[in-house]
Amino acid sequence: MQSNHRLIILNILQPLKLSEEVVQHFNSIDSERKNVLRKYLKDINSAMKDSWIKKLSDLKLKYEKTGIQVITKIIEGTHSSRVIAYNIVKFAEDQKVDMITIGCVGIGGFHEKKSLGSVTRNVSEISTRPVLIVP
């Protein structure tokens, strides 16, 4: 029996980037070492993306066994929590989702006193759709 439920699993992948200090130092090294560092950074970002593709694929298989239609998507984004939030909200609007479910604390870290992560706070502030925040 086919379910009318649709689950969209979205992951925002923030590629690793070099800080301003590192970029300044980076400009002072020879081109061969620059190329090695660029390739290494590209390889790390590629490995992170491959890892998330696998995780999302595993989740999709798990939920589809229960009859739920699953769509997975990776959006590569900036480190700006506001831009990430806009990308999530826009994606939700484009997909006409009924509700956004999002974790209360993201990869920015855990603090002694639990509070909303910046992306979660921004999504809840700008979304026109209901937002369910889970621990």
Side-chain angles (χ1 to χ4, degrees):
M1 182 168 117
Q2 185 66 19
S3 170
N4 291 332
H5 300 291
R6 181 174 67 144
L7 174 65
I8 299 173
I9 304 172
L10 176 66
N11 184 63
I12 304 293
L13 183 61
Q14 298 180 43
L16 294 177
K17 295 191 178 186
L18 303 175
S19 69
E20 285 301 315
E21 295 87 19
V22 173
V23 168
Q24 287 174 357
H25 175 71
F26 189 74
N27 288 331
S28 69
I29 63 176
D30 63 81
S31 62
E32 185 177 333
R33 288 176 62 197
K34 278 186 200 180
N35 289 337
V36 169
L37 188 54
R38 279 190 187 110
K39 183 181 180 326
Y40 182 67
L41 194 57
K42 183 178 177 183
D43 289 348
I44 289 172
N45 286 324
S46 179
M48 286 191 320
K49 186 173 184 177
D50 290 348
S51 175
W52 273 106
I53 288 170
K54 170 83 169 94
K55 288 176 187 177
L56 293 177
S57 176
D58 291 348
L59 282 171
K60 182 175 182 170
L61 286 174
K62 175 184 172 183
Y63 286 105
E64 284 182 338
K65 287 179 182 177
T66 66
I68 297 173
Q69 177 192 4
V70 179
I71 298 169
T72 61
K73 175 97 171 143
I74 293 176
I75 297 176
E76 293 188 39
T78 174
H79 288 273
S80 163
S81 61
R82 188 58 108 173
V83 172
I84 293 169
Y86 278 114
N87 286 339
I88 292 170
V89 170
K90 181 176 180 339
F91 182 82
E93 289 171 355
D94 291 347
Q95 293 292 318
K96 297 177 178 50
V97 302
D98 296 324
M99 177 174 56
I100 298 171
T101 304
I102 190 167
C104 64
V105 180
I107 62 170
F110 291 90
H111 303 284
E112 280 184 31
K113 297 179 182 179
K114 300 260 180 182
S115 61
L116 287 183
S118 58
V119 172
T120 300
R121 182 179 43 78
N122 287 326
V123 167
S124 68
E125 289 173 356
I126 64 175
S127 179
T128 58
R129 290 168 167 28
V131 178
L132 173 64
I133 301 171
V134 296

